[in-house]
Amino acid sequence: MRFNAAHLALLARGQPGSFDREGKLKVYRIPASNSIKPQEITERWCRLKGNLLFLMKKQIQKSEPAEVIVLERCHIVENRDNRNATLSIKFESGEPDLYLEAFTKSDCKSWIAALREANSEGLQKRIHHLRQLIMEIKGSEPTDSLIGEAQQAGAAMIPDPPRLEFSLECRELAATTRERKPNAFVQISVINTQQQSLTVFSSTEIVEGTTDPLFLTGVTFPPEYPICEGTRFKLTVYDVKDKSPEIRSFLGCTTFSVGDLVKSKDQQLTLSLRTSDGTNAVGSIVVSQLRMGEIEDGEVDQIATDAQGQKCTFICESASHRTTSDDKDNSHLMNAVFKNPVCKVYRFQTADSKWMFIREQMAECTLSFNIPKQLMTLYIQEDMMRIQELKELGDLSPHWDNLRKDVINHCRQIISSYQETLTEINKLTGSSFKPSISKAEKYLEFIPVNLHTQRMRVNCPRKTEAAYDVVTVGAPAAHFQGFKNGGLHRLLSRFEAEKKNFSTAYQCIYYSPENTSKAKEVLTSISLLQPLISSLGDQLLHSAQQHSSDSLKEALKTLSDKTEQFVHALKDELVKNALLALYTAQPGYVSKRHSTICNHVDESSPTPKEDTSTPPPLKRQDSIPHHSEYDEEEWDRVWVNVAMSLNCIIAMVDRLLEHENNNQEAGADPSLADVITSHTNGDWHEQLYPLVVTLKDCVKEVVHRAKKSMAFVLLQEAACSIPQGLFLKQRRDVVFSQALAAVACGFVMRLYAGLDDKGFLQQLHTVGLIAQFESLLSTYSDEVGMLEDMEVGISDLRRVTFRIAEAKSDEPSDLQPIVTGRRDYYTVEVPLPREVFEGLPNEIKEGKPLHVYPVLFNIGINQQQTLAERFGDISLQERINQENFKILNEYYRILSEKVPLECLPRFQTQTDLKELLEILHQNIQIKKRKNVEILWLAGTICRRMNGIRFTSCKSAKDRTSMSVTLEQCALLRDEHELSKDYFIRALDCMRSRHTQGGLSEWEDPEAASVADNKSTSRHFYPIALLLVSSHLLVVWLILSLSLLLAKYQ
């Protein structure tokens, strides 16, 4: 590679003051390879100009350049563990990290700030900041050219709140007949003056039997909608019959522009409605601009708006009243994960005849696809690693070698299937959710069905603004594989019962699920601890080279802790016994015992004796006999060598530190002290280096043996599981992928909403969060299998922890959660922008694992559940509710012990949490059909404990939407004093399929998602069917079947 060296040298020799930053720093590198000794620390004069860092040859200002560092695709990290003022530059290319040590901590922080702003990403942030300043000064958006330049530069675009929101009411509508008053609704259309066309945007709900209808559903235009002062709207009023929009008659229409509304007095227009020919007036319509956050005495504050010269500055809220939650709703942080929001706005009356404003927002989540794609990649990597581990077992006897080949072939089939699925998913573009119509498609089986977030923001008089979140998702289940033989819970129980027969047929040793889980845990532990111990050994040598006593002590303490943890992980009889089993499976081994080997593990029964003259052997995890040629103590000696190597390092460090203290005491003779210091300065590294290498070698030997033994355990487990076990593993992967995507979405949403809540953050790192899944599946037919799948998938979420990390940049791609780990343990890392991350508690910033406690409560509510309760079995539902109540109760016990009650949110209904749990327990114990009180209580307890709420049914449409809307109206009634007279109307408004978008779009809300004005993915049906008596339902089913049979006959 050629470069203009002469020009770079000229830039490096620039005049003092022409650089962004310059000064003297200590410079060194730590190579990745253990065979290369670390670089010596040298003091150099450093100069920063643009994105170039020049390292001069000497420590004086006037010296020639020795190196130039391009500060692109790199990360500037402050080394907080080191007491010195040190920073490091980590390169994505894999080069050794460059360490820079300043002489003061303040100087170090100044360098960090300068280096982080030196690259193009820092320039993009400054452009974005300047753009915000322009918006604040001018009171309007930048020109299109500036927006285009900012987007090309990659600046994070922060969208505005809704451009415009208004409400409607009609007065003195003309009745079509004297005997009947109109059932009116208003259709809102946008007029395209250039093309002379109309675009239907939304509609209000239907208000029945009045000539003065007051519409509760408002009209909201999202920030990206292209409106300006001259944009005109057409309002058309229709009279409908039998609540059917298709049977409607035209009453009147009118038009107005955005400028007319904003410039009008009190931002309110009263317009005359006229017939199509414009001759007759049929009433009037009042258009009022909504301003959430400015409610007082039931009316909107009269705040004048100077619209002169403004092109697109119409928003629904005053800047002085924007709340924190609003900023979060519209920040680039939220928009990085939540996409394609659909917003509705309502106004409902409170008990004291005032108005509350509600904005309901639904959004898709990028994690619907991102999390499953990451999981599939991890599944593929884990299975490929498993194949490699099996190959590294070496030569095996023909029987075991054939079993190994069978397992490898099945693993390759799964890998091929996952790779094909991943390739197909990567081809998809467009929306970020899987519609229910695609739930049984093969290449989408890892994707959750209809995963959406729902947020209801409430603003009412004299009360603080509140927000209520819920995640809606289809039940995590393997729809493509079907439910003919049941779901995961039933299949796993049956498989474990039959597994012992499989082990006999394949001449394998039966290992219990606890043993195979332990084997995977050992593999995970050693794979994580070995590189960590190696890295800590390098840090110890670096501290020795620096001749820093404090740094040396700290490095030794960390190394000791991790090495002891490593040794403890291997002090298990399973490892020792597996090594013996592996020895017996090698070629040439002939057992001297003629009795049949028992293949089943029974820890309560003694192992058969080889010889009556020898004492009985100890109870073992396997039933392989002892062999006189195998030295069982060899394994003990191998891992004990690790502990002995560590002890040697500790002793050497103690001796070096003691010698250092003696030198300081002998400092009376300065010349002698200088000689001793200069002599021992290099001895520390030289004396510790061979001991550290020995420790690494011992650890490597232990890892080699342990990996082979645990791989052999898993080989036996897989061999006696073919093919059913691998099929179940694949099914479990599918269900877990859907469940993890949902819980990650909920965790991110709850975290973003609570970043400013100190009590919530304390609860998060002290105890963790409860994740309550509300399921509405029946215990009849295929939904039994779905519920069994869902139970196992949600239970597997207990193996997941979360961590918060600092994002590399504010780009949306760098704010996506990252999944790491393997099937027995996963970690989801949630990146946050630097300014947000710095405000978190130290425990979270240090990477403390954050736990989530998933619980599932199920109550079937449809007609199939009626059949199940009458003629079927509901024991599955009862068992799930009872077991998950114990988890919820245990979480409350831990929460009440470790977190003050002040950290929990406050609600109007101040029922004690303990009392709510007792009521929930009573409802679970009693035998009551369709006891939805269980779901109400569980949801209330979850909200009171700062938890994450999920609502599910088969496809997250009909039953889910009924539950969510009913819960929202109940919250408005209980927490915000919604008037009793408006409860049913509010419920009808939220459930109406006639309030957003064109009429035809609402016939299939999922299909409508591809339209320009995407509607919500919820079907809305009357609740009367759910409230009808179960006896009538049975009669209705019998009559329906009779009519159906008669029709086909």
Side-chain angles (χ1 to χ4, degrees), residues 57 68 119 166 249 319 382 419 427 429 446 495 502 526 596 601 636 665 731 742 746 759 771 821 835 935 949 1001 1018:
K57 290 183 178 180
V68 60
N119 55 19
F166 56 83
S249 59
E382 182 179 346
Q419 287 175 336
K427 295 178 183 177
T429 57
F446 288 87
F495 172 70
F502 293 154
I526 61 179
T596 305
V601 175
D636 295 333
E665 293 174 359
R731 187 184 187 102
E835 61 275 10
L935 302 181
R949 285 272 294 111
E1001 294 176 5
R1018 304 194 306 204

Side-chain angles (χ1 to χ4, degrees), residues 826-927:
Y826 287 101
T827 299
V828 182
E829 185 179 276
V830 181
L832 294 177
R834 181 172 179 269
E835 61 275 10
V836 178
F837 181 78
E838 290 298 331
L840 297 176
N842 291 330
E843 293 85 351
I844 296 179
K845 289 194 291 186
E846 291 169 359
K848 182 178 181 180
L850 310 175
H851 298 278
V852 170
Y853 297 82
V855 292
L856 169 65
F857 291 94
N858 183 84
I859 295 293
I861 62 172
N862 62 357
Q863 301 94 321
Q864 289 185 333
Q865 184 63 23
T866 303
L867 295 176
E869 291 176 344
R870 290 281 183 182
F871 313 111
D873 181 17
I874 60 171
S875 59
L876 173 63
Q877 175 177 283
E878 293 176 344
R879 180 183 57 78
I880 289 174
N881 292 341
Q882 291 170 2
E883 291 178 356
N884 284 271
F885 172 79
K886 295 178 182 177
I887 300 172
L888 182 63
N889 197 42
E890 178 64 16
Y891 174 82
Y892 167 73
R893 185 189 66 79
I894 300 173
L895 181 69
S896 58
E897 291 176 356
K898 297 185 178 181
V899 177
L901 293 177
E902 293 76 16
C903 295
L904 300 179
R906 296 185 179 182
F907 289 83
Q908 294 292 323
T909 52
Q910 292 297 330
T911 309
D912 185 62
L913 266 174
K914 187 174 182 180
E915 183 180 348
L916 287 173
L917 283 165
E918 291 175 355
I919 299 173
L920 175 61
H921 184 248
Q922 293 171 5
N923 277 273
I924 291 174
Q925 294 301 319
I926 62 176
K927 303 292 184 181

Side-chain angles (χ1 to χ4, degrees), residues 361-559:
Q361 180 172 307
M362 184 196 72
E364 301 169 10
C365 184
T366 60
L367 305 187
S368 290
F369 283 82
N370 284 354
I371 294 294
K373 286 196 290 187
Q374 293 183 62
L375 268 181
M376 276 188 283
T377 302
L378 292 175
Y379 291 155
I380 292 169
Q381 292 174 355
E382 182 179 346
D383 288 341
M384 292 178 70
M385 188 183 303
R386 184 64 44 79
I387 291 175
Q388 185 62 31
E389 289 170 353
L390 293 177
K391 291 180 178 180
E392 291 175 355
L393 286 175
D395 295 334
L396 297 176
S397 62
H399 168 71
W400 287 109
D401 192 48
N402 290 332
L403 289 178
R404 174 169 60 179
K405 290 177 181 177
D406 290 342
V407 172
I408 289 176
N409 289 334
H410 279 83
C411 286
R412 284 174 174 164
Q413 291 176 11
I414 293 179
I415 291 173
S416 176
S417 174
Y418 286 4
Q419 287 175 336
E420 181 181 350
T421 301
L422 190 58
T423 302
E424 292 297 324
I425 292 178
N426 287 329
K427 295 178 183 177
L428 298 177
T429 57
S431 61
S432 302
F433 78 102
K434 180 176 80 172
S436 61
I437 195 173
S438 304
K439 63 176 173 283
E441 292 188 16
K442 171 72 170 68
Y443 70 97
L444 290 176
E445 62 179 344
F446 288 87
I447 312 299
V449 179
N450 265 336
L451 177 61
H452 289 86
T453 60
Q454 309 268 358
R455 169 165 291 177
M456 181 180 71
R457 287 183 49 210
V458 185
N459 194 296
C460 52
R462 301 187 185 89
K463 291 183 181 179
T464 57
E465 183 178 311
Y468 303 94
D469 296 337
V470 64
V471 178
T472 57
V473 62
H479 294 280
F480 172 75
Q481 299 180 23
F483 310 97
K484 182 178 180 181
N485 298 315
L488 270 174
H489 183 270
R490 193 188 321 173
L491 293 172
L492 288 171
S493 300
R494 187 185 305 155
F495 172 70
E496 287 299 328
E498 297 173 353
K499 196 172 177 181
K500 294 183 179 181
N501 297 330
F502 293 154
S503 64
T504 303
Y506 283 94
Q507 300 181 20
C508 302
I509 303 171
Y510 170 73
Y511 286 98
S512 65
E514 292 76 15
N515 286 331
T516 55
S517 178
K518 179 65 178 177
K520 295 175 183 177
E521 182 183 340
V522 170
L523 285 173
T524 302
S525 298
I526 61 179
S527 63
L528 293 175
L529 290 173
Q530 183 190 14
L532 185 59
I533 291 172
S534 179
S535 176
L536 292 172
D538 293 336
Q539 289 185 19
L540 183 72
L541 293 177
H542 177 63
S543 300
Q545 189 176 26
Q546 285 185 321
H547 206 271
S548 172
S549 300
D550 294 336
S551 178
L552 191 67
K553 291 178 182 178
E554 187 175 350
L556 179 63
K557 182 180 182 303
T558 309
L559 177 64

Side-chain angles (χ1 to χ4, degrees), residues 75-340:
H75 309 291
I76 314 301
V77 181
E78 181 181 3
N79 296 349
R80 298 174 184 170
D81 295 337
N82 198 326
R83 296 187 179 181
N84 297 326
T86 308
L87 64 95
S88 60
I89 303 177
K90 298 182 179 294
F91 302 93
E92 294 185 3
S93 61
E95 295 184 42
D97 298 344
L98 177 65
Y99 289 82
L100 305 175
E101 182 177 335
F103 292 88
T104 63
K105 289 189 176 181
S106 60
D107 195 24
C108 179
K109 290 183 178 180
S110 179
W111 271 102
I112 290 173
L115 291 171
R116 281 176 173 168
E117 294 181 355
N119 55 19
S120 60
E121 294 176 352
L123 178 62
Q124 293 166 11
K125 292 179 181 178
R126 290 198 293 274
I127 292 173
H128 174 61
H129 177 66
L130 292 174
R131 180 174 178 270
Q132 285 184 311
L133 292 178
I134 293 173
M135 293 175 64
E136 293 175 3
I137 294 171
K138 288 187 175 183
S140 61
E141 293 183 348
T143 61
D144 293 340
S145 61
L146 180 58
I147 294 175
E149 290 173 2
Q151 287 176 335
Q152 290 173 6
M157 304 297 291
I158 300 179
D160 297 322
R163 288 275 179 89
L164 181 68
E165 291 181 329
F166 56 83
S167 61
L168 300 169
E169 61 177 299
C170 294
R171 295 174 183 172
E172 300 179 355
L173 289 179
T176 54
T177 62
R178 292 182 180 180
E179 295 79 13
R180 176 181 168 275
K181 293 182 179 180
N183 301 328
F185 79 93
V186 182
Q187 185 180 87
I188 298 91
S189 304
V190 181
I191 301 175
N192 189 326
T193 55
Q194 295 179 351
Q195 300 179 359
Q196 297 296 316
S197 61
L198 287 177
T199 301
V200 177
F201 179 76
S202 67
S203 302
T204 66
E205 80 279 10
I206 300 171
V207 180
E208 300 180 46
T210 178
T211 57
D212 300 316
L214 175 69
F215 300 102
L216 303 183
T217 304
V219 182
T220 179
F221 288 88
E224 67 275 8
Y225 200 89
I227 63 173
C228 61
E229 183 178 347
T231 302
R232 298 192 64 80
F233 305 117
K234 181 179 180 180
L235 306 178
T236 308
V237 182
Y238 292 98
D239 177 21
V240 302
K241 297 180 180 179
D242 301 326
K243 286 190 177 182
S244 174
E246 290 77 13
I247 308 175
R248 60 183 180 178
S249 59
F250 174 82
L251 287 181
C253 63
T254 188
T255 62
F256 72 97
S257 69
V258 175
D260 295 338
L261 177 60
V262 176
K263 295 175 185 178
S264 63
K265 184 180 179 180
D266 303 339
Q267 287 79 54
Q268 186 177 89
L269 291 175
T270 301
L271 306 171
S272 177
L273 291 170
R274 295 191 174 274
T275 56
S276 56
D277 56 8
T279 56
N280 299 324
V282 292
S284 61
I285 187 167
V286 180
V287 184
S288 303
Q289 185 177 359
L290 296 180
R291 293 177 178 272
M292 291 186 69
E294 300 178 5
I295 307 172
E296 185 64 35
D297 296 330
E299 295 182 359
V300 178
D301 283 349
Q302 299 179 7
I303 298 180
T305 303
D306 182 10
Q308 296 294 335
Q310 296 185 8
K311 184 178 179 181
C312 297
T313 61
F314 312 107
I315 59 176
C316 69
E317 294 151 302
S318 161
S320 61
H321 287 80
R322 290 184 190 173
T323 61
T324 304
S325 62
D326 180 58
D327 293 338
K328 288 173 187 172
D329 285 347
N330 298 282
S331 69
H332 64 285
L333 185 62
M334 291 288 287
N335 289 341
V337 179
F338 304 107
K339 300 289 186 181
N340 302 328

